[in-house]
Amino acid sequence: MFLKEINEENKDFLNEVEAIKIRAISTKQAYIDIAKLLFLQYQEMPTANRLYNLLKKGSMTTVVEAMRIFWQEIQSQLSIKINMPNVPQQLQNILVEQMEEIWSKALEQAALEFEQQKNEVLEKNKDLQQKILELNQKIILNEQKYNEIGNNYQELTNQNLQDKEKIAHQEIQLQQEQNLQKDLYKKLSQLQEDINEQQRQFNHEKSEIQAKFDLNIQALQQDIKSWQQKLDNERTQLKQQEKEFNKQSKIYQETIKDLQDKISKEKYQNSDLSNKLIHLEQKYSELEHDNIKLQKNNKEVIAETNKLNKRKVLINNRNADIGLFKKRNKK
């Protein structure tokens, strides 16, 4: 009976297997006891795979060795006895011989199956050894790759740390530059406000200065115009006085000449004529003195006119400078 045919007894069977696991002194003995349990109690032919699936300990070599010992014990303990009082002894002997022959064939079949399983196990073991070798080689290659990856990872980690430090340093520098730029913008804004305020003050002061200058220019122009009128009047008066003086001087000269002629004719006439002559000479001297004064005044008027002309030139130059200043401010 195979295990699939004893599902109802599966629980008891598993309990007995667990009990064998606990009381067995070794893994090999546990496999032997489980093989006896299957073969003798549950009439199931034990196999290496069946035993290993139940215990799952040790290696397949241990399972094969346990199976060999199990069959040796079965063969050594084999003893068939028949107790049938009503059957002749000769017939009993024949039955014993036939049963022993059947049992021997069963054992031979079991041994053959055992050898086949053993060979399969050994072949599988070789395959497993080859796979283990291949796996070990793969493990070595993987370890080498892992070491390379670890080294690369360490290098990348170090590079990453350096990059992070550089980035952090650059971020700090960027933040400092941004703060500096903000400060510069604030200073530029404040400076622009100060320039605008100074420009407003300058424009205001310039307007006031321009207004005062225009008033001063107007007043100065009026003064110049007034002085020119006065000079023109004085010149006119001087010319009139000069004409009058020339006229009087001519009259006096003519009179003096007439008197001199009369005096020369009447050289020794009365003293009244001499006195008149002296008086006339004094008058002529006074007229000459007045003429000198008039000439002096005329020179002063001419000098004053020159001063006014120079001052006018200075005013014109100043007006030209103001014009240039206004053009520069407009630009």
Side-chain angles (χ1 to χ4, degrees), residues 109-196:
Q109 184 65 30
L112 181 61
E113 291 178 359
F114 171 76
E115 288 298 327
Q116 290 177 353
Q117 291 176 359
K118 180 180 178 181
N119 292 330
E120 290 176 359
V121 169
L122 291 175
E123 190 65 28
K124 288 181 180 179
N125 191 19
K126 289 180 181 179
D127 294 337
L128 288 174
Q129 292 294 331
Q130 184 63 30
K131 289 181 180 180
I132 289 170
L133 181 61
E134 292 176 357
L135 289 173
N136 288 330
Q137 292 177 353
K138 289 181 180 180
I139 289 170
I140 292 171
L141 293 174
N142 290 330
E143 287 179 350
Q144 292 176 353
K145 291 181 180 179
Y146 177 78
N147 293 329
E148 291 177 358
I149 292 170
N151 294 329
N152 294 330
Y153 176 77
Q154 187 63 36
E155 291 178 358
L156 291 174
T157 302
N158 295 331
Q159 185 66 33
N160 191 21
L161 291 174
Q162 293 177 0
D163 293 339
K164 285 182 179 180
E165 291 177 356
K166 289 181 181 178
I167 291 170
H169 183 66
Q170 290 176 357
E171 287 178 350
I172 292 171
Q173 288 183 344
L174 180 62
Q175 186 64 35
Q176 291 176 352
E177 290 177 358
Q178 287 177 350
N179 294 332
L180 181 61
Q181 190 175 10
K182 288 180 181 179
D183 294 337
L184 288 175
Y185 282 149
K186 288 181 181 179
K187 290 180 180 178
L188 287 173
S189 179
Q190 185 64 36
L191 182 61
Q192 186 64 40
E193 291 179 358
D194 295 339
I195 291 172
N196 293 334

Side-chain angles (χ1 to χ4, degrees), residues 314-328:
L314 291 174
I315 290 170
N316 290 330
N317 292 332
R318 190 171 181 183
N319 286 330
D321 294 335
I322 290 170
L324 291 175
F325 178 74
K326 288 180 178 180
K327 288 180 180 179
R328 289 176 181 175

Side-chain angles (χ1 to χ4, degrees), residues 1-8 44 50:
M1 169 186 320
F2 295 97
L3 185 60
K4 63 182 181 180
E5 298 174 353
I6 56 172
N7 287 331
E8 295 179 356
E44 180 179 341
R50 182 79 172 95

Side-chain angles (χ1 to χ4, degrees), residues 1 9 27 34 49 61 101 199 301 314:
M1 169 186 320
E9 302 176 7
T27 302
I34 293 173
N49 290 331
T61 303
E101 184 179 356
Q199 185 68 32
V301 169
L314 291 174

